[in-house]
Amino acid sequence: MTETKIDRLLQKNLLVLLGRFYPNPIDQETFSEISRLAQTPHKLAQNLFYLQEYNLVNSGLLPTSDGSFLFDYKE
């Protein structure tokens, strides 16, 4: 059985946390909290990219040619 990539509860929690800062970027402490919620960097990236596709967030994630990603964090 394949793990579901899209986690609706995680997305909801991400949007609630990010909403506290809107329209400003999040701080490092909140990014750490978001990372803990996602449990893995890959799961975080998948769900942030998904939300970004629907213009709900500006994730700061940059895809790379090898399929990984970079996080362009600016406080």
Side-chain angles (χ1 to χ4, degrees):
M1 187 162 147
T2 306
E3 178 186 350
T4 302
K5 295 178 182 181
I6 303 305
D7 183 332
R8 299 291 186 207
L9 180 58
L10 173 59
Q11 290 172 5
K12 178 184 175 197
N13 290 332
L14 290 173
L15 291 171
V16 167
L17 281 171
L18 295 172
R20 293 181 193 162
F21 288 84
Y22 182 81
N24 301 311
I26 62 172
D27 58 24
Q28 184 61 46
E29 183 180 330
T30 302
F31 180 74
S32 296
E33 185 176 348
I34 286 171
S35 297
R36 283 189 301 274
L37 284 173
Q39 299 173 336
T40 68
H42 190 67
K43 186 175 180 180
L44 176 60
Q46 288 172 325
N47 284 276
L48 283 174
F49 278 132
Y50 181 86
L51 293 171
Q52 186 167 297
E53 284 179 23
Y54 287 93
N55 296 315
L56 296 171
V57 300
N58 180 0
S59 69
L61 292 172
L62 305 171
T64 63
S65 60
D66 68 358
S68 63
F69 61 90
L70 299 172
F71 183 72
D72 185 21
Y73 178 79
K74 294 176 185 164
E75 191 168 341

Coordinates of all heavy atoms in Angstrom, one line a residue:
M1 N 0.8 -1.2 0.0 CA 0.0 0.0 0.0 C 0.9 1.2 0.0 O 1.8 1.4 0.8 CB -0.9 0.0 1.2 CG -1.9 1.0 1.3 SD -3.2 0.5 2.5 CE -3.7 2.1 3.1
T2 N 0.6 2.2 -0.9 CA 1.4 3.4 -1.0 C 0.9 4.5 0.0 O -0.3 4.6 0.2 CB 1.2 4.0 -2.4 OG1 1.5 2.9 -3.4 CG2 2.1 5.1 -2.6
E3 N 1.8 5.2 0.6 CA 1.5 6.2 1.5 C 0.8 7.4 0.7 O 1.3 7.8 -0.3 CB 2.8 6.7 2.2 CG 2.5 7.9 3.1 CD 3.8 8.4 3.7 OE1 4.9 7.9 3.5 OE2 3.7 9.5 4.3
T4 N -0.2 7.9 1.3 CA -0.9 9.1 0.7 C 0.0 10.3 0.9 O 0.4 10.6 2.0 CB -2.3 9.3 1.4 OG1 -3.0 8.2 1.3 CG2 -3.0 10.5 0.8
K5 N 0.2 11.0 -0.2 CA 1.1 12.1 -0.2 C 0.4 13.3 0.4 O 1.0 14.2 1.0 CB 1.6 12.4 -1.6 CG 2.5 11.3 -2.2 CD 2.9 11.6 -3.6 CE 3.8 10.5 -4.1 NZ 4.2 10.8 -5.4
I6 N -0.8 13.5 0.1 CA -1.6 14.6 0.5 C -2.2 14.4 1.8 O -3.0 13.4 2.0 CB -2.7 15.0 -0.6 CG1 -2.0 15.2 -1.9 CG2 -3.5 16.2 -0.2 CD1 -0.9 16.2 -2.0
D7 N -1.9 15.2 2.8 CA -2.4 15.1 4.2 C -3.3 16.3 4.5 O -2.8 17.4 4.8 CB -1.2 15.0 5.1 CG -1.6 14.7 6.6 OD1 -2.7 15.2 7.0 OD2 -0.8 14.2 7.3
R8 N -4.6 16.1 4.4 CA -5.5 17.2 4.6 C -5.4 17.9 6.0 O -5.5 19.1 6.2 CB -7.0 16.8 4.4 CG -7.2 16.3 3.0 CD -7.1 17.4 2.0 NE -7.5 16.9 0.7 CZ -7.0 17.4 -0.4 NH1 -6.2 18.5 -0.4 NH2 -7.4 16.9 -1.6
L9 N -5.2 17.0 7.1 CA -5.1 17.6 8.4 C -3.8 18.4 8.5 O -3.8 19.5 9.1 CB -5.1 16.5 9.5 CG -5.0 16.9 10.9 CD1 -6.1 17.9 11.3 CD2 -5.0 15.7 11.8
L10 N -2.7 17.9 8.0 CA -1.5 18.7 8.0 C -1.7 20.0 7.2 O -1.3 21.1 7.7 CB -0.4 17.9 7.3 CG 0.9 18.7 7.1 CD1 1.5 19.2 8.4 CD2 1.9 17.8 6.3
Q11 N -2.4 20.0 6.1 CA -2.6 21.2 5.3 C -3.4 22.2 6.1 O -3.1 23.4 6.1 CB -3.3 20.9 4.0 CG -2.5 20.1 3.0 CD -3.2 19.7 1.8 OE1 -4.4 20.0 1.6 NE2 -2.5 18.9 1.0
K12 N -4.4 21.7 6.8 CA -5.3 22.6 7.6 C -4.4 23.3 8.7 O -4.4 24.5 8.9 CB -6.4 21.8 8.3 CG -7.2 22.7 9.2 CD -8.3 21.9 9.9 CE -9.0 22.8 10.9 NZ -9.8 22.1 11.9
N13 N -3.6 22.4 9.4 CA -2.7 23.0 10.4 C -1.7 24.0 9.9 O -1.4 25.0 10.5 CB -2.0 21.8 11.2 CG -3.0 21.0 12.0 OD1 -4.0 21.5 12.5 ND2 -2.7 19.8 12.2
L14 N -1.2 23.7 8.7 CA -0.2 24.6 8.1 C -0.9 26.0 7.8 O -0.4 27.0 8.1 CB 0.3 24.0 6.8 CG 1.2 22.8 6.8 CD1 1.5 22.3 5.5 CD2 2.5 23.2 7.5
L15 N -2.1 25.9 7.3 CA -2.8 27.1 6.9 C -3.2 27.9 8.2 O -3.1 29.2 8.2 CB -4.1 26.8 6.1 CG -3.8 26.3 4.7 CD1 -5.1 25.8 4.1 CD2 -3.2 27.4 3.9
V16 N -3.5 27.3 9.3 CA -3.8 28.0 10.5 C -2.6 28.7 11.1 O -2.6 29.8 11.4 CB -4.4 27.0 11.6 CG1 -4.4 27.6 13.0 CG2 -5.8 26.6 11.2
L17 N -1.5 27.9 11.1 CA -0.2 28.5 11.6 C 0.2 29.7 10.7 O 0.6 30.7 11.2 CB 0.9 27.5 11.6 CG 0.9 26.5 12.8 CD1 1.9 25.4 12.6 CD2 1.2 27.3 14.1
L18 N 0.2 29.5 9.4 CA 0.6 30.5 8.4 C -0.3 31.7 8.5 O 0.1 32.9 8.4 CB 0.7 30.0 7.0 CG 1.7 28.9 6.8 CD1 1.6 28.3 5.4 CD2 3.1 29.4 7.0
G19 N -1.6 31.5 8.8 CA -2.5 32.6 8.9 C -2.2 33.5 10.0 O -2.6 34.7 10.0
R20 N -1.6 33.1 11.1 CA -1.2 33.9 12.2 C -0.2 35.0 11.8 O -0.1 36.0 12.4 CB -0.6 33.1 13.3 CG -1.5 32.1 14.0 CD -0.8 31.4 15.1 NE -1.6 30.3 15.5 CZ -1.1 29.3 16.2 NH1 0.1 29.2 16.6 NH2 -1.9 28.3 16.6
F21 N 0.5 34.8 10.7 CA 1.5 35.7 10.3 C 1.1 36.6 9.1 O 1.8 37.5 8.7 CB 2.8 35.0 9.9 CG 3.5 34.4 11.1 CD1 3.1 33.2 11.7 CD2 4.5 35.1 11.8 CE1 3.8 32.7 12.8 CE2 5.2 34.7 12.9 CZ 4.8 33.5 13.4
Y22 N 0.1 36.1 8.4 CA -0.3 36.8 7.2 C -0.5 38.3 7.3 O -1.0 38.7 8.3 CB -1.6 36.2 6.6 CG -2.1 36.8 5.3 CD1 -1.5 36.4 4.2 CD2 -3.0 37.9 5.3 CE1 -1.9 37.0 3.0 CE2 -3.4 38.4 4.1 CZ -2.8 38.0 2.9 OH -3.2 38.6 1.8
P23 N 0.1 39.1 6.5 CA 0.7 38.9 5.2 C 2.3 38.8 5.3 O 3.0 38.8 4.3 CB 0.3 40.1 4.3 CG 0.3 41.2 5.3 CD -0.2 40.6 6.6
N24 N 2.8 38.6 6.5 CA 4.2 38.6 6.7 C 4.7 37.1 6.6 O 4.0 36.2 6.9 CB 4.6 39.2 8.1 CG 4.1 40.6 8.1 OD1 4.4 41.4 7.3 ND2 3.4 41.0 9.2
P25 N 6.0 37.0 6.4 CA 6.6 35.6 6.4 C 6.7 35.1 7.8 O 6.7 35.9 8.8 CB 8.0 35.8 5.8 CG 8.3 37.3 5.9 CD 7.0 38.0 6.0
I26 N 6.7 33.8 8.0 CA 6.8 33.2 9.3 C 8.2 33.3 9.9 O 9.2 33.7 9.2 CB 6.5 31.7 9.3 CG1 7.4 30.9 8.4 CG2 5.0 31.5 8.8 CD1 7.2 29.4 8.4
D27 N 8.3 33.1 11.2 CA 9.6 33.2 11.8 C 10.2 31.8 11.9 O 9.6 30.8 11.6 CB 9.5 33.8 13.2 CG 8.6 33.1 14.1 OD1 8.3 31.9 14.0 OD2 8.1 33.8 15.1
Q28 N 11.5 31.7 12.4 CA 12.2 30.4 12.4 C 11.5 29.4 13.4 O 11.4 28.2 13.1 CB 13.6 30.6 12.8 CG 14.4 29.3 12.8 CD 14.5 28.6 11.4 OE1 14.7 29.3 10.4 NE2 14.3 27.3 11.4
E29 N 11.0 29.9 14.5 CA 10.3 29.1 15.5 C 9.1 28.4 14.9 O 8.8 27.2 15.1 CB 9.9 29.9 16.7 CG 9.3 29.1 17.8 CD 8.9 29.9 19.0 OE1 9.5 30.9 19.3 OE2 7.9 29.6 19.6
T30 N 8.3 29.2 14.1 CA 7.1 28.6 13.5 C 7.5 27.6 12.4 O 6.9 26.6 12.2 CB 6.2 29.7 12.9 OG1 5.9 30.6 13.9 CG2 5.0 29.2 12.2
F31 N 8.6 27.9 11.6 CA 9.0 27.0 10.6 C 9.4 25.6 11.3 O 9.1 24.6 10.8 CB 10.2 27.5 9.8 CG 10.7 26.5 8.8 CD1 9.9 26.3 7.6 CD2 11.8 25.8 9.0 CE1 10.3 25.4 6.7 CE2 12.3 24.9 8.0 CZ 11.5 24.7 6.9
S32 N 10.1 25.7 12.4 CA 10.4 24.5 13.2 C 9.2 23.7 13.6 O 9.1 22.5 13.5 CB 11.3 24.8 14.4 OG 12.5 25.4 14.0
E33 N 8.1 24.4 14.1 CA 6.9 23.8 14.5 C 6.2 23.1 13.3 O 5.7 22.0 13.4 CB 6.0 24.9 15.1 CG 4.7 24.3 15.6 CD 3.8 25.3 16.3 OE1 4.2 26.4 16.6 OE2 2.6 24.9 16.6
I34 N 6.2 23.8 12.1 CA 5.6 23.3 10.9 C 6.4 22.0 10.5 O 5.8 21.0 10.1 CB 5.6 24.3 9.8 CG1 4.5 25.3 10.1 CG2 5.5 23.7 8.4 CD1 4.6 26.5 9.1
S35 N 7.7 22.0 10.6 CA 8.5 20.9 10.2 C 8.2 19.7 11.1 O 8.1 18.5 10.7 CB 10.0 21.2 10.3 OG 10.3 22.2 9.4
R36 N 8.0 19.9 12.4 CA 7.6 18.8 13.3 C 6.3 18.3 13.0 O 6.1 17.0 13.1 CB 7.6 19.3 14.8 CG 9.0 19.5 15.4 CD 9.0 19.8 16.9 NE 8.2 21.0 17.2 CZ 8.7 22.2 17.3 NH1 10.0 22.4 17.0 NH2 8.0 23.2 17.6
L37 N 5.3 19.1 12.7 CA 4.0 18.6 12.3 C 4.0 17.7 11.1 O 3.3 16.7 11.0 CB 3.1 19.8 11.9 CG 2.5 20.6 13.1 CD1 1.7 21.8 12.5 CD2 1.6 19.8 13.9
A38 N 4.9 18.0 10.1 CA 4.9 17.3 8.9 C 5.7 15.9 9.1 O 5.5 15.0 8.3 CB 5.6 18.1 7.8
Q39 N 6.5 15.9 10.1 CA 7.3 14.7 10.4 C 8.5 14.4 9.5 O 9.5 13.9 10.0 CB 6.4 13.4 10.5 CG 5.4 13.6 11.6 CD 4.4 12.4 11.6 OE1 4.2 11.8 10.6 NE2 3.7 12.2 12.7
T40 N 8.4 14.7 8.2 CA 9.5 14.5 7.3 C 9.6 15.7 6.4 O 8.6 16.3 6.0 CB 9.4 13.2 6.5 OG1 8.3 13.3 5.5 CG2 9.2 12.0 7.3
P41 N 10.8 16.1 5.9 CA 10.9 17.2 5.0 C 10.2 16.9 3.7 O 9.6 17.8 3.1 CB 12.4 17.3 4.7 CG 13.0 16.7 5.9 CD 12.1 15.6 6.4
H42 N 10.2 15.6 3.2 CA 9.5 15.3 2.0 C 8.0 15.5 2.1 O 7.4 16.0 1.2 CB 9.8 13.8 1.6 CG 9.4 13.4 0.3 ND1 9.9 13.9 -0.9 CD2 8.4 12.6 -0.1 CE1 9.3 13.4 -1.9 NE2 8.4 12.6 -1.5
K43 N 7.4 15.1 3.2 CA 6.0 15.2 3.4 C 5.6 16.7 3.5 O 4.6 17.2 2.9 CB 5.5 14.5 4.7 CG 4.0 14.5 4.9 CD 3.6 13.7 6.1 CE 2.1 13.7 6.3 NZ 1.8 12.9 7.5
L44 N 6.5 17.5 4.1 CA 6.2 18.9 4.2 C 6.3 19.6 2.8 O 5.4 20.3 2.5 CB 7.3 19.6 5.1 CG 7.3 21.1 5.2 CD1 5.9 21.6 5.8 CD2 8.4 21.6 6.1
A45 N 7.3 19.2 2.1 CA 7.4 19.7 0.7 C 6.2 19.4 -0.2 O 5.7 20.2 -0.9 CB 8.7 19.3 0.1
Q46 N 5.8 18.1 -0.1 CA 4.7 17.7 -0.9 C 3.4 18.5 -0.6 O 2.7 19.0 -1.5 CB 4.3 16.2 -0.7 CG 5.4 15.3 -1.3 CD 5.1 13.8 -0.8 OE1 4.7 13.6 0.3 NE2 5.4 12.9 -1.7
N47 N 3.1 18.7 0.6 CA 1.9 19.4 1.0 C 2.0 20.9 0.8 O 1.0 21.6 0.4 CB 1.5 19.1 2.5 CG 0.9 17.7 2.5 OD1 -0.2 17.5 2.3 ND2 1.8 16.7 2.8
L48 N 3.2 21.5 1.0 CA 3.4 22.9 0.7 C 3.3 23.2 -0.8 O 2.7 24.1 -1.2 CB 4.7 23.4 1.2 CG 4.7 23.7 2.7 CD1 6.1 24.1 3.2 CD2 3.7 24.8 3.2
F49 N 3.9 22.3 -1.6 CA 3.8 22.5 -3.1 C 2.3 22.4 -3.5 O 1.8 23.1 -4.4 CB 4.6 21.4 -3.8 CG 6.1 21.8 -4.0 CD1 7.0 20.8 -3.7 CD2 6.5 23.0 -4.4 CE1 8.4 21.1 -3.8 CE2 7.8 23.3 -4.6 CZ 8.8 22.4 -4.3
Y50 N 1.6 21.4 -2.9 CA 0.2 21.3 -3.2 C -0.6 22.5 -2.9 O -1.4 23.0 -3.8 CB -0.4 20.1 -2.5 CG -1.9 19.8 -2.8 CD1 -2.2 19.0 -3.8 CD2 -2.9 20.4 -2.0 CE1 -3.6 18.8 -4.1 CE2 -4.2 20.2 -2.3 CZ -4.6 19.4 -3.3 OH -5.9 19.1 -3.6
L51 N -0.4 23.1 -1.7 CA -1.1 24.3 -1.3 C -0.7 25.5 -2.2 O -1.5 26.4 -2.6 CB -0.8 24.7 0.1 CG -1.4 23.7 1.1 CD1 -0.9 24.0 2.5 CD2 -3.0 23.7 1.1
Q52 N 0.6 25.5 -2.6 CA 1.1 26.6 -3.5 C 0.4 26.5 -4.9 O 0.1 27.5 -5.5 CB 2.6 26.5 -3.6 CG 3.2 27.6 -4.4 CD 4.7 27.6 -4.3 OE1 5.2 27.9 -3.2 NE2 5.4 27.4 -5.3
E53 N 0.2 25.2 -5.4 CA -0.5 25.1 -6.7 C -1.9 25.7 -6.7 O -2.3 26.2 -7.8 CB -0.6 23.6 -7.0 CG 0.7 22.9 -7.5 CD 0.5 21.5 -7.8 OE1 -0.7 21.0 -8.0 OE2 1.5 20.7 -7.7
Y54 N -2.5 25.8 -5.6 CA -3.8 26.4 -5.5 C -3.7 27.9 -5.0 O -4.7 28.5 -4.6 CB -4.7 25.6 -4.6 CG -5.2 24.3 -5.3 CD1 -4.4 23.1 -5.1 CD2 -6.3 24.3 -6.1 CE1 -4.8 22.0 -5.8 CE2 -6.6 23.1 -6.8 CZ -5.9 22.0 -6.6 OH -6.3 20.8 -7.3
N55 N -2.5 28.4 -5.0 CA -2.3 29.8 -4.6 C -2.7 30.1 -3.2 O -3.2 31.2 -2.9 CB -2.9 30.8 -5.6 CG -2.3 30.7 -7.0 OD1 -1.1 30.6 -7.1 ND2 -3.1 30.6 -8.0
L56 N -2.6 29.1 -2.3 CA -3.0 29.3 -0.9 C -1.8 29.7 -0.1 O -2.0 30.3 1.0 CB -3.6 28.1 -0.3 CG -5.0 27.7 -1.0 CD1 -5.4 26.3 -0.5 CD2 -6.0 28.7 -0.7
V57 N -0.6 29.4 -0.5 CA 0.6 29.8 0.2 C 1.7 30.1 -0.8 O 1.7 29.7 -2.0 CB 1.2 28.7 1.1 CG1 0.2 28.3 2.2 CG2 1.6 27.5 0.3
N58 N 2.7 30.9 -0.4 CA 3.9 31.0 -1.1 C 5.0 30.3 -0.3 O 5.4 30.8 0.8 CB 4.3 32.5 -1.3 CG 5.6 32.7 -2.0 OD1 6.2 31.7 -2.4 ND2 6.0 33.9 -2.2
S59 N 5.3 29.1 -0.7 CA 6.0 28.2 0.2 C 7.5 28.5 0.4 O 8.1 28.2 1.4 CB 6.0 26.8 -0.3 OG 6.7 26.7 -1.6
G60 N 8.1 29.2 -0.6 CA 9.5 29.5 -0.5 C 10.3 28.2 -0.9 O 11.6 28.3 -0.9
L61 N 9.7 27.2 -1.4 CA 10.3 26.0 -1.8 C 10.7 26.1 -3.3 O 9.9 26.6 -4.1 CB 9.4 24.7 -1.7 CG 9.2 24.3 -0.2 CD1 8.1 23.2 -0.2 CD2 10.4 23.8 0.4
L62 N 11.9 25.7 -3.6 CA 12.4 25.7 -5.0 C 12.7 24.3 -5.4 O 13.6 23.7 -4.8 CB 13.6 26.6 -5.1 CG 13.5 28.1 -4.5 CD1 14.8 28.8 -4.5 CD2 12.5 28.8 -5.4
P63 N 12.0 23.8 -6.4 CA 12.4 22.4 -6.9 C 13.7 22.4 -7.6 O 14.1 23.4 -8.2 CB 11.2 22.1 -7.8 CG 10.6 23.4 -8.2 CD 10.9 24.3 -7.1
T64 N 14.4 21.3 -7.5 CA 15.7 21.2 -8.1 C 15.6 20.1 -9.2 O 14.6 19.4 -9.3 CB 16.8 20.8 -7.1 OG1 16.5 19.5 -6.6 CG2 17.0 21.8 -6.0
S65 N 16.6 20.1 -10.1 CA 16.6 19.2 -11.2 C 16.6 17.7 -10.8 O 16.2 16.8 -11.6 CB 17.7 19.5 -12.2 OG 19.0 19.3 -11.5
D66 N 17.1 17.4 -9.6 CA 17.2 16.0 -9.2 C 16.0 15.5 -8.4 O 15.9 14.4 -7.8 CB 18.5 15.8 -8.4 CG 18.5 16.5 -7.0 OD1 17.5 17.2 -6.7 OD2 19.4 16.3 -6.3
G67 N 14.9 16.4 -8.4 CA 13.7 16.0 -7.7 C 13.6 16.4 -6.2 O 12.6 16.1 -5.6
S68 N 14.7 16.9 -5.7 CA 14.6 17.4 -4.3 C 14.2 18.9 -4.3 O 13.7 19.4 -5.3 CB 16.0 17.2 -3.6 OG 17.0 18.0 -4.3
F69 N 14.4 19.5 -3.2 CA 14.0 20.9 -3.1 C 14.9 21.7 -2.2 O 15.6 21.1 -1.4 CB 12.5 21.0 -2.6 CG 12.4 20.4 -1.2 CD1 12.5 21.2 -0.1 CD2 12.1 19.1 -1.1 CE1 12.4 20.7 1.2 CE2 11.9 18.5 0.2 CZ 12.1 19.3 1.3
L70 N 14.9 23.0 -2.4 CA 15.6 23.9 -1.5 C 14.5 24.8 -0.9 O 13.5 25.2 -1.5 CB 16.6 24.8 -2.3 CG 17.7 24.0 -3.0 CD1 18.4 25.0 -3.9 CD2 18.6 23.4 -2.0
F71 N 14.8 25.2 0.4 CA 13.8 26.2 1.0 C 14.5 27.5 1.1 O 15.6 27.7 1.7 CB 13.5 25.7 2.4 CG 12.5 26.6 3.1 CD1 11.2 26.6 2.7 CD2 12.9 27.4 4.1 CE1 10.2 27.4 3.3 CE2 11.9 28.2 4.8 CZ 10.6 28.2 4.3
D72 N 13.9 28.5 0.4 CA 14.4 29.8 0.4 C 13.8 30.6 1.6 O 12.8 31.3 1.4 CB 14.1 30.5 -0.9 CG 14.7 31.9 -1.1 OD1 15.7 32.2 -0.4 OD2 14.2 32.6 -1.9
Y73 N 14.4 30.5 2.8 CA 13.8 31.1 4.0 C 14.3 32.5 4.1 O 15.5 32.7 4.1 CB 14.2 30.2 5.2 CG 13.7 30.8 6.5 CD1 12.3 30.7 6.8 CD2 14.5 31.6 7.3 CE1 11.8 31.2 8.0 CE2 14.0 32.2 8.5 CZ 12.7 32.0 8.8 OH 12.2 32.6 9.9
K74 N 13.4 33.4 4.2 CA 13.7 34.8 4.5 C 12.9 35.3 5.6 O 11.6 35.3 5.5 CB 13.4 35.6 3.2 CG 14.3 35.3 2.1 CD 13.9 36.0 0.8 CE 14.8 35.6 -0.3 NZ 14.3 36.0 -1.6
E75 N 13.5 35.8 6.7 CA 12.8 36.3 7.8 C 12.5 37.8 7.7 O 13.2 38.5 7.1 CB 13.5 36.0 9.1 CG 12.7 36.3 10.3 CD 13.3 35.7 11.6 OE1 14.2 34.9 11.5 OE2 12.9 36.2 12.7

